[in-house]
Amino acid sequence: MMTFGVVGYGYWGPNVVRNLRDLETTRAVALCDTNPSALRRAKQLHPDIRVTSDYSDLLSAPDIDAIAVITPVWTHFELAKKALLSGKHVFVEKPFTATAAQGEELIDLAASRNLQIMVDHTFLFTGSVRMIRKLVEGDTLGKLYYYDSTRVNLGLFQHDVDVLWDLAPHDLSIVDYLIGKPPEGIVATGERHLNGLTDVAFMTLYFPDRIVAHVNVNWLSPVKVRMTLIGGEKKMLVWNDLEADEKVKVYDKGVTLSGGAGVRDLLVGYRSGDMWAPKIERTEALRAELAYFVECIQDNRAPINDGLAGLRVVRMLEAAEESLRRKGEAVYA
Amino acid sequence: MMTFGVVGYGYWGPNVVRNLRDLETTRAVALCDTNPSALRRAKQLHPDIRVTSDYSDLLSAPDIDAIAVITPVWTHFELAKKALLSGKHVFVEKPFTATAAQGEELIDLAASRNLQIMVDHTFLFTGSVRMIRKLVEGDTLGKLYYYDSTRVNLGLFQHDVDVLWDLAPHDLSIVDYLIGKPPEGIVATGERHLNGLTDVAFMTLYFPDRIVAHVNVNWLSPVKVRMTLIGGEKKMLVWNDLEADEKVKVYDKGVTLSGGAGVRDLLVGYRSGDMWAPKIERTEALRAELAYFVECIQDNRAPINDGLAGLRVVRMLEAAEESLRRKGEAVYA
Amino acid sequence: MMTFGVVGYGYWGPNVVRNLRDLETTRAVALCDTNPSALRRAKQLHPDIRVTSDYSDLLSAPDIDAIAVITPVWTHFELAKKALLSGKHVFVEKPFTATAAQGEELIDLAASRNLQIMVDHTFLFTGSVRMIRKLVEGDTLGKLYYYDSTRVNLGLFQHDVDVLWDLAPHDLSIVDYLIGKPPEGIVATGERHLNGLTDVAFMTLYFPDRIVAHVNVNWLSPVKVRMTLIGGEKKMLVWNDLEADEKVKVYDKGVTLSGGAGVRDLLVGYRSGDMWAPKIERTEALRAELAYFVECIQDNRAPINDGLAGLRVVRMLEAAEESLRRKGEAVYA
Amino acid sequence: MMTFGVVGYGYWGPNVVRNLRDLETTRAVALCDTNPSALRRAKQLHPDIRVTSDYSDLLSAPDIDAIAVITPVWTHFELAKKALLSGKHVFVEKPFTATAAQGEELIDLAASRNLQIMVDHTFLFTGSVRMIRKLVEGDTLGKLYYYDSTRVNLGLFQHDVDVLWDLAPHDLSIVDYLIGKPPEGIVATGERHLNGLTDVAFMTLYFPDRIVAHVNVNWLSPVKVRMTLIGGEKKMLVWNDLEADEKVKVYDKGVTLSGGAGVRDLLVGYRSGDMWAPKIERTEALRAELAYFVECIQDNRAPINDGLAGLRVVRMLEAAEESLRRKGEAVYA
């Protein structure tokens, strides 16, 4: 049993609190938010939770083992640092920190105190991404060619982060998980139309072995799209996260080359076979993630979405930001 | 009545010949191809067409007013130049030429001889693009924010051009037509996985007034996608060219900003109203395009898809090629 | 303010309790269920609710104005009757009663005591059905031709009612609401494959003026379908309840006849224009329905979904049952 | 090599002629139609075909082995009879004849002359129906529960047949092919709204072993739907003929019953596994069908879609017609 304090009860916080209270291995005993109406809402649903607007109440509580930081990005570093300095494990919403330097400092601090950090890369715990990872690891897809994600919808505009920092971390954490190597170069483009923050953006990540990833994020789309294409030498897949069932479709399709020395002599062959939609687990990802965090703490081992994973995503975002500023020049090569 | 000779009877040539023979204002009297079986196939369908493997037969035929060049890109320049030098108008498959310099030379040559060039930007003559143009010109969408196209499928690998030169001209000609201004900078990324030619590519085009265009082309996708999102200040639309009906859906959706001076004080409002799918004309685009070409020749005026339009697309492709070589550095600014 | 007691806390009961507690004009003060774990679940979410396994506690409570009966069909009559005899208004889950005779007795009883009955025909309060009703009433569709609904999925098998009594009431209540006249004849077919209850069934309802309604219900479908086509003389619509947005699409399509006297002389013309998806309100239907019930009680007027509406649906079900037994013979003409 | 004469060059005739001329084992040497412009169109595409408006020219031609009757239903009997009497094999468009009595007479006549009749049940030769048949025969689906088809669109109104005779034969021939037994009872309902012919109709077919088939046909639908659900004890499938790929999806889903003696004691279990879309052959069905007809003639064996198969479909249509007249009373039991 691990006891949590939670800081931040806005859009995502209620889900974290609910899951911490539902799980058998976790408890959520205290909640901090500076917004009194947020605390009231929490109290209505969970009458026995301790609420406070003073973060130090969480830090000083001896019954709290870990703190979940579910607040805007720019506050992550300070709140997580204080938690670690108070000897608490830390669960931080994505993206991990506002800068790579902050992330590095938190990682060092946690290591020195033997505490665990988990960054809330929720998608890694969905049935879909778990299935895709299995298909990649088991070599069903063969050598990877590309990952191409479209993640667009109308809003929600954020005040503190642009569309890249808001939506791209999902794909960056997935790409990091699937490919297992850092990118050799990152190119980002985009535009700001409304409030001075980039609202339409495109990222290309060059990975070793000619694997290329592309992420299309947009706050100004009339329709919601959550579609990822993944191409491999043996098979290709489409992950449509908006489908009620059959979210992942695996295509027995491919291209083969044969023939002579020169480009013009090559014969291109197309293979097209069955399609297969494996059954996807429907368990709530956040619930599985939090349960896994407790296991990691108890076993004293780093989760797959530890501070280092969070840091890798922040580094990609920083590189993208810089490339976007330079109008597409490759960064991080 | 305008009489055509056609050179090239591969994938697209049969459609050109069929339409030229169906239209009341055009005739196709002669066909040149170096492949004897292509000529045989043509002769079977059109027993009265003159066939030849010698291009000079077309050039010297006094009854031929215009030549349609429906051959691989690298041959366009030479074939079109000879046609113009022989006093024939020229219809050229897209992309116009293999280099901008070639395009410029053809344009000058045509101007000096008072001949017309039309580049086969077929999509401009589809009911969908005509409707979109009307919505843009009539200010239904309001100030444009972005154009974002996904044009992916399995194959068909070309031997002489990469995926950018193969698929992107469609979107580049549309973007050129809708925006009416040249881009200020072009960024392209992508990768080659099979035969040494780029098979997955992404282009961003920065236009004046913060309009950004993005084109995603891919020969290695398990599914065919032809979807374009266009966002404007007043309305937004989705053009899905694979839908049997309702190819263009116009959404009465938008984002409005109001409020204070600083970014954090801004209030973001969302507007979401009806959706509307205007009836789209179903006439064959190539047919309308060829009929229009005859009108342009007879009226001695430049078509919207003249040599200059073709040249603008080739310039964008050249810039994209260079940016791709430089791993995303902006070119053409 | 109207105070409710609720009997039945299975699948649908929790939604009724939640809405009665959320609304400003209603309260839910007491809950009865014979299943102790249901009562425990309710108590956890609503610590201040009175729970009991003895229905007479609700009947005798002086603070309770109305009782919501959210139990299996075969219990509706007895529970509702006791409520009316105790002077309580009654909200009853659909279908109203197990037989038409029971429905008639409840209606008479309520009338004699000046109490209101509302049958939970929830769909009438969805944005989609409200919009469709507006389109029918406003003569946008023109003279109605047909209503054709497919409502199929895997499960949930009921133990006490077959697929007709389970799924068809939704469509029957909608058809009753849209057409406003009773059917002149009902034909039903179907089959039982598993537990002795019909699991696949098809109903045709002949209405005056050549309006025909068809309802396809199935517990053994591999996919969930909720699609209704409605054809009118002027316009036609598709209501797809599984779409996230654009649930109702109105087509400016039609068929016109002109010409001579004999059938073979008639010229059939097709009209095909724009499609339009009006914005649909997203308010929770059950919430709107319960708020409306309170208004009806306070104004002492019958709701559109009163006992008579419930009785008309039960009569259609009884006729369908009989027709199904006679293998399709028309009943209720 | 089998030589054909074709009578009827309206909507479907050109496809028959084209395939007969494309196949290596067939020739189409002569065409009869009473419409001069139809003959002109044919002559333009096939300059060497003999054309006539006098059917006896086909009957008396010694080089003609077989006649394809591609004319309105009410002419089938007379034209086919004359062909058989002239010693020609006969290929007849669906539905076979206007009455069962006519069909019987043709079958007897062909038998007595040792000639073959094939009825153009094209769908049996599509990749989709072949795959479905394989899944049924190979017991992949398990014991069949139901076949439920929706086949609706706007128009095309026929002058000589109603929507049942126009659209239902497709499903009836498929059902006959898949189930292999005649129905025990047929119920049909529907309505006529425009030209006195039924334009919306619903058929239920009761087969032995509790297999039930349902066919929904409609000429007044704003959208085109071609969707068939087939439920079996082990697996269930959806055949969507409008999908470009993945026309047939097989679901590893099912319902299992266990438990006690009474209905209320039964435990219903749901099984939900992978979905699988087998690769479907894309060969043109009509081409495969005609090639198969030649094989049958040469081997002197009856095709699967022989006169008897055609007769079974006509009998179902006659029963449906009668049931529809009697407002749904079961016929043909």
Side-chain angles (χ1 to χ4, degrees):
Chain A
M1 173 67 75
M2 198 68 49
T3 302
F4 282 75
V6 176
V7 56
Y9 199 76
Y11 169 73
W12 193 236
N15 295 321
V16 174
V17 171
R18 173 174 50 79
N19 276 291
L20 287 173
R21 293 174 73 87
D22 270 9
L23 280 168
E24 295 200 352
T25 55
T26 58
R27 294 194 307 157
V29 294
L31 171 67
C32 171
D33 199 299
T34 53
N35 182 342
S37 81
L39 296 181
R40 262 197 308 276
R41 266 186 297 124
K43 199 76 188 167
Q44 214 169 353
L45 270 175
H46 312 289
D48 60 322
I49 207 166
R50 308 190 312 250
V51 297
T52 176
S53 60
D54 183 355
Y55 187 47
S56 62
D57 289 346
L58 265 56
L59 299 174
S60 61
D63 63 337
I64 291 182
D65 308 306
I67 288 185
V69 178
I70 318 296
T71 56
V73 186
W74 57 273
T75 66
H76 287 183
F77 172 68
E78 198 186 359
L79 295 171
K81 185 175 174 181
K82 283 182 179 164
L84 292 168
L85 287 172
S86 306
K88 317 291 195 197
H89 304 283
V90 177
F91 177 86
V92 192
E93 206 189 338
K94 64 88 206 162
F96 183 25
T97 49
T99 68
Q102 291 176 348
E104 285 162 9
E105 188 174 334
L106 292 180
I107 290 167
D108 288 347
L109 188 57
S112 70
R113 309 258 164 159
N114 201 26
L115 294 167
Q116 296 295 347
I117 296 173
M118 174 176 276
V119 181
D120 182 13
H121 293 165
T122 328
F123 265 103
L124 304 191
F125 298 87
T126 59
S128 298
V129 174
R130 285 176 175 207
M131 175 56 70
I132 292 170
R133 160 91 169 187
K134 223 171 89 179
L135 295 170
V136 170
E137 285 219 313
D139 202 33
T140 302
L141 300 187
K143 179 182 156 19
L144 279 191
Y145 287 156
Y146 67 86
Y147 173 102
D148 180 15
S149 172
T150 303
R151 190 175 294 276
V152 306
N153 52 258
L154 193 66
L156 304 175
F157 274 75
Q158 309 285 317
H159 282 158
D160 57 331
V161 293
D162 66 11
V163 72
L164 263 180
W165 284 77
D166 179 36
L167 293 179
H170 296 308
D171 290 297
L172 299 180
S173 66
I174 295 167
V175 157
D176 177 66
Y177 183 52
L178 294 179
I179 299 178
K181 290 173 207 163
E184 295 172 337
I186 286 178
V187 174
T189 54
E191 196 51 90
R192 58 195 72 188
H193 298 93
L194 289 165
N195 64 349
L197 291 173
T198 302
D199 42 38
V200 177
F202 314 101
M203 267 181 86
T204 299
L205 299 97
Y206 287 101
F207 284 92
D209 303 321
R210 296 193 180 285
I211 305 175
V212 64
H214 181 251
V215 178
N216 177 338
V217 287
N218 185 340
W219 277 339
L220 288 174
S221 167
V223 289
K224 187 173 182 177
V225 181
R226 293 286 183 271
M227 191 166 87
T228 303
L229 306 176
I230 303 181
E233 193 176 6
K234 294 184 188 168
K235 290 220 168 76
M236 297 171 175
L237 70 80
V238 178
W239 166 32
N240 185 344
D241 207 45
L242 301 186
E243 293 250 356
D245 305 297
E246 308 155 40
K247 287 179 189 289
V248 177
K249 293 182 179 169
V250 185
Y251 292 82
D252 185 15
K253 285 191 175 176
V255 175
T256 53
L257 292 185
S258 55
V263 164
R264 302 242 171 124
D265 305 325
L266 284 175
L267 289 174
V268 182
Y270 300 97
R271 192 172 39 75
S272 179
D274 295 0
M275 183 268 274
W276 165 66
K279 189 186 175 182
I280 301 294
E281 291 299 325
R282 286 167 171 280
T283 45
E284 189 177 354
L286 179 56
R287 184 184 173 92
E289 187 184 24
L290 290 166
Y292 167 66
F293 187 35
V294 172
E295 289 173 30
C296 289
I297 293 172
Q298 286 168 342
D299 301 354
N300 198 27
R301 62 185 161 102
I304 54 170
N305 50 333
D306 61 0
L308 287 167
L311 176 61
R312 290 194 295 270
V313 169
V314 170
R315 281 190 178 138
M316 296 186 218
L317 290 169
E318 281 191 338
E321 215 175 18
E322 193 182 330
S323 173
L324 206 149
R325 240 186 337 255
R326 298 195 205 160
K327 293 230 159 190
E329 198 173 324
V331 173
Y332 193 72
Chain B
M1 173 66 75
M2 199 66 53
T3 303
F4 281 76
V6 176
V7 54
Y9 199 78
Y11 170 72
W12 192 237
N15 296 320
V16 174
V17 170
R18 174 174 50 79
N19 277 290
L20 287 174
R21 293 173 74 88
D22 270 8
L23 280 167
E24 295 199 354
T25 56
T26 58
R27 292 195 309 158
V29 295
L31 172 67
C32 172
D33 200 299
T34 54
N35 182 342
S37 79
L39 296 181
R40 262 197 308 276
R41 266 186 298 124
K43 200 73 188 171
Q44 216 168 350
L45 271 175
H46 313 290
D48 61 322
I49 206 166
R50 306 190 313 251
V51 297
T52 177
S53 62
D54 183 355
Y55 186 48
S56 61
D57 290 346
L58 265 57
L59 299 174
S60 60
D63 63 336
I64 292 181
D65 307 308
I67 289 184
V69 178
I70 317 296
T71 57
V73 186
W74 57 274
T75 67
H76 286 182
F77 172 67
E78 198 188 357
L79 294 171
K81 184 175 174 182
K82 283 183 177 164
L84 293 168
L85 288 172
S86 305
K88 319 291 195 197
H89 304 284
V90 177
F91 178 86
V92 193
E93 207 190 335
K94 63 89 205 165
F96 183 25
T97 50
T99 68
Q102 291 177 348
E104 285 162 9
E105 187 175 335
L106 293 180
I107 290 167
D108 288 346
L109 188 57
S112 69
R113 310 256 164 161
N114 201 26
L115 294 166
Q116 296 295 348
I117 295 173
M118 175 176 273
V119 181
D120 182 14
H121 293 163
T122 329
F123 265 104
L124 305 191
F125 298 87
T126 58
S128 298
V129 174
R130 285 175 175 207
M131 174 57 69
I132 293 170
R133 160 92 168 187
K134 223 171 90 180
L135 296 169
V136 170
E137 284 220 312
D139 202 34
T140 302
L141 300 188
K143 179 181 156 20
L144 279 192
Y145 287 156
Y146 67 85
Y147 173 102
D148 180 15
S149 172
T150 303
R151 191 176 293 277
V152 306
N153 52 259
L154 193 66
L156 302 178
F157 274 75
Q158 310 285 317
H159 282 158
D160 58 329
V161 293
D162 66 11
V163 73
L164 262 180
W165 284 76
D166 178 36
L167 293 179
H170 296 308
D171 290 298
L172 300 181
S173 65
I174 295 167
V175 157
D176 177 66
Y177 182 54
L178 294 180
I179 299 179
K181 289 175 207 163
E184 295 172 338
I186 287 177
V187 173
T189 54
E191 196 51 88
R192 58 196 70 188
H193 298 94
L194 289 165
N195 64 349
L197 292 173
T198 303
D199 42 39
V200 176
F202 314 101
M203 267 180 86
T204 299
L205 299 97
Y206 287 101
F207 285 91
D209 302 322
R210 295 194 182 282
I211 305 175
V212 65
H214 181 253
V215 178
N216 177 336
V217 287
N218 184 340
W219 278 339
L220 288 174
S221 167
V223 289
K224 187 174 181 177
V225 181
R226 295 284 183 273
M227 191 166 88
T228 303
L229 307 176
I230 303 181
E233 195 176 3
K234 294 183 188 170
K235 291 219 166 78
M236 297 170 176
L237 69 81
V238 177
W239 166 31
N240 185 344
D241 207 45
L242 302 186
E243 292 250 355
D245 305 297
E246 309 155 36
K247 287 179 189 290
V248 177
K249 293 183 179 168
V250 185
Y251 292 82
D252 185 16
K253 286 191 175 176
V255 175
T256 52
L257 291 186
S258 55
V263 163
R264 301 244 172 124
D265 304 325
L266 284 174
L267 288 175
V268 182
Y270 300 96
R271 190 174 40 75
S272 180
D274 294 0
M275 183 270 274
W276 166 65
K279 189 188 173 180
I280 301 294
E281 291 299 326
R282 285 167 172 280
T283 45
E284 189 178 352
L286 180 55
R287 184 184 173 92
E289 187 183 25
L290 289 166
Y292 167 66
F293 187 34
V294 172
E295 288 173 31
C296 288
I297 292 173
Q298 287 170 342
D299 301 354
N300 197 28
R301 62 184 162 99
I304 54 169
N305 51 332
D306 61 0
L308 288 167
L311 176 60
R312 290 194 296 272
V313 169
V314 171
R315 280 190 179 136
M316 296 185 216
L317 290 169
E318 280 191 341
E321 213 175 19
E322 194 184 328
S323 173
L324 205 149
R325 238 184 339 253
R326 297 196 208 158
K327 293 230 158 188
E329 195 173 327
V331 172
Y332 193 70
Chain C
M1 174 68 73
M2 197 68 51
T3 302
F4 282 76
V6 176
V7 55
Y9 199 77
Y11 170 72
W12 192 237
N15 295 320
V16 174
V17 170
R18 173 173 51 80
N19 276 291
L20 287 173
R21 293 174 73 88
D22 270 8
L23 281 167
E24 295 200 352
T25 56
T26 59
R27 294 194 308 159
V29 295
L31 171 67
C32 171
D33 199 298
T34 54
N35 182 341
S37 80
L39 296 181
R40 262 198 307 276
R41 266 186 298 125
K43 200 76 188 167
Q44 213 168 351
L45 271 175
H46 313 289
D48 61 323
I49 206 166
R50 308 191 310 251
V51 297
T52 175
S53 60
D54 183 355
Y55 186 49
S56 62
D57 290 346
L58 266 56
L59 299 174
S60 60
D63 63 338
I64 291 181
D65 307 306
I67 288 184
V69 178
I70 318 296
T71 57
V73 186
W74 58 273
T75 66
H76 287 183
F77 172 68
E78 198 187 359
L79 294 171
K81 184 175 174 181
K82 284 183 177 163
L84 292 168
L85 288 172
S86 305
K88 318 291 194 197
H89 303 283
V90 177
F91 177 86
V92 191
E93 204 189 338
K94 63 87 203 166
F96 182 25
T97 50
T99 68
Q102 290 177 349
E104 285 162 10
E105 188 175 335
L106 293 180
I107 291 167
D108 288 346
L109 188 57
S112 69
R113 310 257 164 158
N114 200 27
L115 294 166
Q116 297 295 348
I117 296 173
M118 175 176 274
V119 181
D120 182 14
H121 293 164
T122 329
F123 266 104
L124 305 190
F125 298 87
T126 57
S128 297
V129 174
R130 285 175 174 206
M131 173 58 68
I132 293 170
R133 160 90 169 190
K134 223 172 89 180
L135 296 170
V136 170
E137 286 219 310
D139 202 33
T140 302
L141 300 187
K143 180 185 156 13
L144 278 192
Y145 287 156
Y146 67 86
Y147 173 100
D148 180 14
S149 172
T150 304
R151 191 176 293 277
V152 306
N153 51 259
L154 194 66
L156 302 177
F157 273 77
Q158 309 286 316
H159 282 157
D160 57 330
V161 293
D162 66 12
V163 72
L164 263 180
W165 284 78
D166 178 36
L167 293 179
H170 296 307
D171 290 298
L172 299 180
S173 65
I174 295 168
V175 157
D176 177 66
Y177 182 54
L178 294 180
I179 299 178
K181 291 174 205 161
E184 296 172 338
I186 286 178
V187 173
T189 54
E191 196 51 89
R192 57 197 71 188
H193 298 93
L194 289 165
N195 65 348
L197 292 173
T198 303
D199 42 40
V200 176
F202 314 100
M203 266 182 87
T204 299
L205 299 97
Y206 287 100
F207 285 92
D209 302 321
R210 296 196 181 284
I211 304 175
V212 64
H214 181 252
V215 179
N216 177 337
V217 287
N218 185 340
W219 278 339
L220 288 175
S221 167
V223 288
K224 186 174 183 177
V225 181
R226 294 286 183 271
M227 190 166 88
T228 303
L229 306 176
I230 302 181
E233 195 176 3
K234 294 184 188 169
K235 290 219 167 80
M236 297 170 174
L237 69 79
V238 178
W239 166 32
N240 186 343
D241 208 45
L242 301 186
E243 293 250 356
D245 306 296
E246 308 154 38
K247 286 179 189 291
V248 177
K249 293 182 179 169
V250 185
Y251 292 82
D252 185 15
K253 286 191 175 176
V255 175
T256 53
L257 291 184
S258 55
V263 163
R264 301 243 171 124
D265 304 325
L266 284 175
L267 289 174
V268 182
Y270 300 97
R271 191 172 41 73
S272 179
D274 295 359
M275 183 269 272
W276 164 65
K279 189 187 173 179
I280 302 294
E281 291 299 325
R282 285 166 173 281
T283 45
E284 189 177 353
L286 180 55
R287 183 182 173 93
E289 187 183 24
L290 290 167
Y292 167 67
F293 187 35
V294 172
E295 288 172 31
C296 290
I297 293 172
Q298 287 168 340
D299 301 354
N300 197 29
R301 62 185 162 101
I304 55 170
N305 51 332
D306 61 0
L308 288 167
L311 176 61
R312 289 194 297 271
V313 169
V314 171
R315 281 191 178 137
M316 296 186 219
L317 290 169
E318 281 191 340
E321 214 174 19
E322 195 182 327
S323 173
L324 205 149
R325 235 181 347 250
R326 298 195 206 159
K327 292 230 158 188
E329 198 173 325
V331 172
Y332 193 73
Chain D
M1 173 68 74
M2 198 67 50
T3 302
F4 282 75
V6 177
V7 54
Y9 199 77
Y11 170 72
W12 191 236
N15 295 321
V16 174
V17 172
R18 173 172 52 79
N19 276 290
L20 287 173
R21 293 174 72 89
D22 270 9
L23 280 167
E24 295 200 352
T25 56
T26 59
R27 293 193 308 158
V29 295
L31 172 67
C32 171
D33 199 299
T34 53
N35 182 342
S37 80
L39 296 181
R40 262 198 307 276
R41 265 187 298 124
K43 199 74 188 169
Q44 215 169 350
L45 270 175
H46 312 290
D48 60 323
I49 206 166
R50 304 187 319 247
V51 298
T52 177
S53 61
D54 183 355
Y55 186 48
S56 62
D57 290 346
L58 265 56
L59 299 174
S60 60
D63 63 335
I64 291 181
D65 308 308
I67 288 185
V69 178
I70 318 296
T71 56
V73 185
W74 57 274
T75 68
H76 287 183
F77 172 67
E78 199 187 357
L79 294 171
K81 185 176 174 181
K82 282 183 179 164
L84 292 168
L85 288 172
S86 304
K88 317 292 196 198
H89 304 284
V90 177
F91 178 86
V92 193
E93 205 188 337
K94 64 90 204 161
F96 182 26
T97 50
T99 68
Q102 291 177 349
E104 285 163 9
E105 189 176 333
L106 293 180
I107 290 167
D108 288 346
L109 188 56
S112 69
R113 308 258 164 159
N114 201 26
L115 293 166
Q116 296 296 347
I117 295 174
M118 174 177 274
V119 181
D120 182 13
H121 293 165
T122 329
F123 265 105
L124 305 190
F125 298 87
T126 58
S128 298
V129 174
R130 286 176 175 205
M131 174 56 71
I132 293 170
R133 160 90 169 188
K134 224 172 87 180
L135 295 170
V136 169
E137 285 220 311
D139 202 35
T140 302
L141 299 187
K143 180 182 157 17
L144 278 191
Y145 287 156
Y146 67 86
Y147 173 102
D148 179 14
S149 172
T150 303
R151 190 176 294 276
V152 307
N153 51 259
L154 193 67
L156 302 176
F157 274 76
Q158 309 286 317
H159 282 156
D160 58 329
V161 293
D162 67 9
V163 72
L164 263 179
W165 283 76
D166 179 36
L167 293 179
H170 296 307
D171 290 298
L172 300 180
S173 66
I174 295 168
V175 157
D176 176 67
Y177 183 53
L178 294 179
I179 298 178
K181 290 175 206 161
E184 295 172 338
I186 286 178
V187 174
T189 54
E191 196 52 88
R192 58 196 72 189
H193 298 94
L194 289 165
N195 64 349
L197 292 173
T198 302
D199 42 38
V200 176
F202 315 100
M203 267 181 85
T204 299
L205 299 97
Y206 287 101
F207 286 91
D209 302 322
R210 297 194 181 283
I211 304 175
V212 65
H214 181 253
V215 179
N216 177 337
V217 287
N218 185 339
W219 278 338
L220 288 174
S221 167
V223 289
K224 186 172 183 178
V225 181
R226 294 285 183 273
M227 192 167 87
T228 303
L229 306 176
I230 302 181
E233 194 177 5
K234 294 184 188 167
K235 291 219 166 78
M236 297 170 175
L237 70 80
V238 178
W239 166 31
N240 186 344
D241 207 45
L242 301 186
E243 293 250 356
D245 305 295
E246 309 155 39
K247 286 178 190 293
V248 177
K249 293 182 179 170
V250 185
Y251 292 82
D252 185 16
K253 286 190 174 178
V255 175
T256 53
L257 292 185
S258 56
V263 164
R264 302 244 170 122
D265 305 324
L266 284 176
L267 289 175
V268 182
Y270 300 97
R271 190 173 40 76
S272 180
D274 295 359
M275 183 269 273
W276 164 66
K279 189 188 174 180
I280 302 295
E281 291 299 325
R282 286 167 172 278
T283 45
E284 189 178 353
L286 180 54
R287 184 184 173 91
E289 188 183 23
L290 290 166
Y292 167 66
F293 187 34
V294 172
E295 289 173 29
C296 289
I297 293 173
Q298 286 169 342
D299 301 355
N300 198 27
R301 61 184 163 101
I304 54 169
N305 51 332
D306 61 359
L308 288 166
L311 176 61
R312 290 193 297 270
V313 169
V314 171
R315 280 190 179 136
M316 296 185 216
L317 291 168
E318 281 191 339
E321 214 174 19
E322 194 183 329
S323 173
L324 206 148
R325 238 183 341 252
R326 298 194 205 160
K327 294 229 159 189
E329 196 174 324
V331 171
Y332 192 74

